[in-house]
Amino acid sequence: MSALLDLVRPDLRDFAGYKSARSEALRGDVWLNANESAWANPADAQGHSRRYPDPQPPALRARLADVYGVGPDQLLIGRGSDEAIDLLVRALCVPGQDAIVVTPPVFGMYVVCARLQGARIIQVPLVDGDAGLAADLDAIGEAALGQGAKLVFLCSPSNPAGSAIPLDGIVALAGALEGRALVVVDEAYGEFADGASATTLLDAHANVVVLRTLSKAHALAAARIGVVIGDTELIAVLQRCQAPYPVPTPCAELALAGLSDPALAQTRERVAVVRRERERLLYALGGLPGVRRVYPSQGNYLLVRFDDPGRAFRALLSAGVVVRDQRAAPQLGDALRITIGSPEQNDRVIAALDAREQAA
């Protein structure tokens, strides 16, 4: 058994999982092995939906692997990044014994999945400095080693902070935790960032895992397509822990079409617009009275501190603009997170906040 599989829960290392009817390599033209309907639903013109989908649609898996520059057997498709997070926690953390490391303020699903699994939660807060809210990798490593963590979740770019983690820092952390913990790099917003993906580290560091999603840059949030990318042995374990038929056929078809060469070209164009608008909004908001600080961001959003965040939130709502209220998050009692919209939408944000000050 490899050192990587030693990190998996002992009771799941040889777990076979559920073998669905569609997972068997059988061929025929009369399918009577899954208790499916022999007739299509009237709402299903093509009649495809009466059949269970392939657990891992081969064409979509191959296309995603090509997009992310990895092998198909290094990648598992699931219901957004959320399912990938849940699978990792369930597969590695023994309830009441093992722990995860998180870096608040950060995406809340890491903690939610840990609590549902009964895993301990170790918090190493982001450090607020001149460059923004940044991960303290030395403190993260010490906490993981000292408190028995199996998983370290690094959100890069971080949501909501917007900061990215340099690859050399991830390499150093992965080396320090080799044989002790997985370093999970959540790149949900990776398309908007400047640096290379942590997938470039996988060949040299088996304990690095990367999460990607089609929900953000690819504009397919409703399709719920996310992937976990990592060592082939780990991917095989996670697939055995996954519920049957995780990828609905309509979602797989939409995702495959959304990853065509023309669609990817449009995605790159949209990302370029977002990056330009991100800089414009950064400077525009930073010049408004009542704005305490705008953090630089590698994502498709900006974290903004206000003298009166409640008033700013209400002013935006009055203008029909809904943003994310971050005031309940650690360290962010005066902050809102504003997604980068179209140029016209961003103009409405600026106008609403400027009008708020003019009316004061």
Side-chain angles (χ1 to χ4, degrees), residues 46-350:
Q46 294 181 320
H48 293 167
S49 294
R50 67 188 178 94
R51 297 294 187 196
Y52 286 110
D54 192 298
Q56 292 289 298
L60 178 57
R61 197 176 196 183
R63 184 57 172 162
L64 285 164
D66 182 58
V67 168
Y68 296 130
V70 299
D73 57 351
Q74 291 180 283
L75 176 151
L76 184 70
I77 310 170
R79 302 173 184 89
S81 298
D82 298 337
E83 184 181 22
I85 294 165
D86 181 63
L87 284 172
L88 286 163
V89 176
R90 281 195 286 126
L92 270 72
C93 293
V94 176
Q97 175 179 314
D98 294 320
I100 72 165
V101 175
V102 295
T103 57
V106 76
F107 183 47
M109 280 303 296
Y110 313 134
V111 167
V112 168
C113 293
R115 287 181 173 167
L116 290 172
Q117 179 62 17
R120 291 182 294 112
I121 298 162
I122 303 166
Q123 299 190 39
V124 182
L126 297 179
V127 178
D128 199 353
D130 293 340
L133 285 156
D136 186 339
L137 295 178
D138 290 337
I140 289 169
E142 291 173 6
L145 290 171
Q147 300 184 52
K150 281 283 192 73
L151 293 162
V152 173
F153 285 101
L154 301 179
C155 194
S156 180
S158 182
N159 173 20
S163 54
I165 301 174
L167 290 188
D168 57 356
I170 297 172
V171 167
L173 182 62
L177 298 180
E178 185 176 0
R180 302 287 295 275
L182 289 186
V183 177
V184 183
V185 186
D186 187 346
E187 294 184 343
Y189 303 92
E191 289 87 353
F192 303 101
D194 294 333
S197 169
T199 54
T200 58
L201 309 178
L202 296 180
D203 290 343
H205 300 278
N207 65 327
V208 171
V209 174
V210 179
L211 308 181
R212 300 298 294 254
T213 179
L214 301 188
S215 295
K216 310 300 181 182
H218 294 278
L220 292 174
R224 306 305 301 131
I225 300 291
V227 297
V228 52
I229 306 169
D231 183 270
T232 57
E233 288 187 314
L234 177 65
I235 294 301
V237 170
L238 297 178
Q239 186 167 2
R240 294 196 295 269
C241 294
Q242 191 175 38
Y245 314 119
V247 188
T249 298
C251 295
E253 292 174 346
L254 176 60
L256 192 57
L259 294 172
S260 67
D261 288 341
L264 288 178
Q266 291 187 33
T267 295
R268 289 190 289 270
E269 291 174 3
R270 289 195 304 270
V271 167
V273 171
V274 167
R275 287 166 60 91
R276 289 195 300 270
E277 285 294 296
R278 183 176 66 193
E279 293 306 302
R280 182 173 78 91
L281 201 57
L282 173 73
Y283 291 108
L285 294 178
L288 292 179
V291 173
R292 186 172 297 167
R293 184 176 184 183
V294 185
Y295 287 87
S297 174
Q298 291 286 295
N300 67 333
Y301 48 87
L302 291 171
L303 183 68
V304 187
R305 294 190 187 274
F306 293 88
D307 290 337
D308 189 341
R311 189 158 163 264
F313 188 73
R314 292 190 298 272
L316 288 164
L317 276 182
S318 296
V321 177
V322 183
V323 301
R324 186 70 170 216
D325 190 346
Q326 296 288 163
R327 286 177 288 175
Q331 303 186 59
L332 300 182
D334 59 354
L336 305 177
R337 189 196 69 196
I338 303 174
T339 301
I340 308 300
S342 68
E344 295 76 18
Q345 291 169 340
N346 299 330
D347 286 342
R348 285 180 63 179
V349 169
I350 297 167

